């Protein structure tokens, strides 16, 4: 993993944490803690992607002078484990939740509970059947734009010297 990838991840995580802390409606309903705490619940612990996200979230939390609670289910298909973690966050004294859902439908009910409890939520890595707005935001890949950027870059590297093939899973 490159340093650039780690920096991009740290930047994205910092933006997520700022978005959560900026949720003014939350502060009107609950007493503001001395040091805010953001909960981050990824899909699982261990794989390199989530280690980079953890690093980025830690760096962003330090810069923003807030605490980070990081906890993950034991595997990428542990829906029940992720639901339990979300419910723990709802019952706790957290100012926001960053979530990478392991299942797009099974986590709708816990997310609705978190939103009903007044929690600021940012969902990453997946668009769910809940519209963004109010206390809910999304940070997801723009696959179309990624394709455009990839083709533009390879065309720059091989100017007029052949064909470009895009291979993907369908």
């Amino acid at each position: 993993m490159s340093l650039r990838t780690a920096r991009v991840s740290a930047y994205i995580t910092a933006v997520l944490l700022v978005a959560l802390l900026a949720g003014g409606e939350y502060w009107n309903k609950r007493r503001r803690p001395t040091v805010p705490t953001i909960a981050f619940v990824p899909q699982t612990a261990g794989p390199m992607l989530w280690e980079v996200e953890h690093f980025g979230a830690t760096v962003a939390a330090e810069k923003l002078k807030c605490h980070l609670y990081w906890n993950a289910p034991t595997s990428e298909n542990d829906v029940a484990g992720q639901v339990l973690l979300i419910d723990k966050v709802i019952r706790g004294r957290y100012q926001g939740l960053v979530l990478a859902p392991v299942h797009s439908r099974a986590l709708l009910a816990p997310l609705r509970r978190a939103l009903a409890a007044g929690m600021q939520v940012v969902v990453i890595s997946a668009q769910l059947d809940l519209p963004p707005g109010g206390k809910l935001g999304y940070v997801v890949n723009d696959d179309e734009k990624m394709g455009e950027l990839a083709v533009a870059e390879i065309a720059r590297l091989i100017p007029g010297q052949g064909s470009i093939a895009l291979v993907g899973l369908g």
Side-chain angles (χ1 to χ4, degrees), residues 10-48:
Y11 174 76
I12 290 171
T13 305
V15 170
L16 293 173
L17 292 171
V18 168
L20 284 169
L21 290 173
E25 291 179 47
Y26 174 84
W27 303 119
N28 294 333
K29 293 183 179 179
R30 294 186 180 176
R31 208 161 128 192
R32 186 178 196 165
T34 308
V35 179
T37 302
I38 305 298
F40 197 124
V41 180
Q43 290 177 347
T44 189
M48 186 60 77

Side-chain angles (χ1 to χ4, degrees), residues 16-160:
L16 293 173
L17 292 171
V18 168
L20 284 169
L21 290 173
E25 291 179 47
Y26 174 84
W27 303 119
N28 294 333
K29 293 183 179 179
R30 294 186 180 176
R31 208 161 128 192
R32 186 178 196 165
T34 308
V35 179
T37 302
I38 305 298
F40 197 124
V41 180
Q43 290 177 347
T44 189
M48 186 60 77
L49 169 67
W50 300 117
E51 291 302 318
V52 172
E53 291 289 336
H54 191 185
F55 173 77
T58 302
V59 169
E62 288 173 4
K63 286 181 181 178
L64 295 168
K65 296 181 180 13
C66 66
H67 292 294
L68 178 69
Y69 167 77
W70 178 278
N71 204 343
T74 56
S75 69
E76 287 187 12
N77 60 359
D78 186 3
V79 175
Q82 200 169 46
V83 169
L84 288 172
L85 289 171
I86 294 168
D87 286 338
K88 177 180 179 179
V89 169
I90 293 168
R91 290 187 311 270
R93 293 185 43 96
Y94 301 94
Q95 286 62 61
L97 169 65
V98 177
L99 174 71
V102 297
H103 192 278
S104 60
R105 293 184 189 237
L107 294 174
L108 291 176
L111 278 180
R112 284 188 179 110
R113 288 194 298 271
L115 294 167
M119 184 156 293
Q120 305 291 325
V121 178
V122 173
V123 176
I124 63 171
S125 300
Q127 185 75 34
L128 303 178
D129 288 334
L130 290 173
K135 295 177 175 76
L136 177 63
Y138 290 93
V139 176
V140 295
N141 288 339
D142 184 339
D143 293 331
E144 184 176 331
K145 187 64 175 176
M146 192 176 352
E148 290 174 22
L149 293 171
V151 169
E153 180 63 12
I154 199 74
R156 183 188 69 76
L157 294 170
I158 59 163

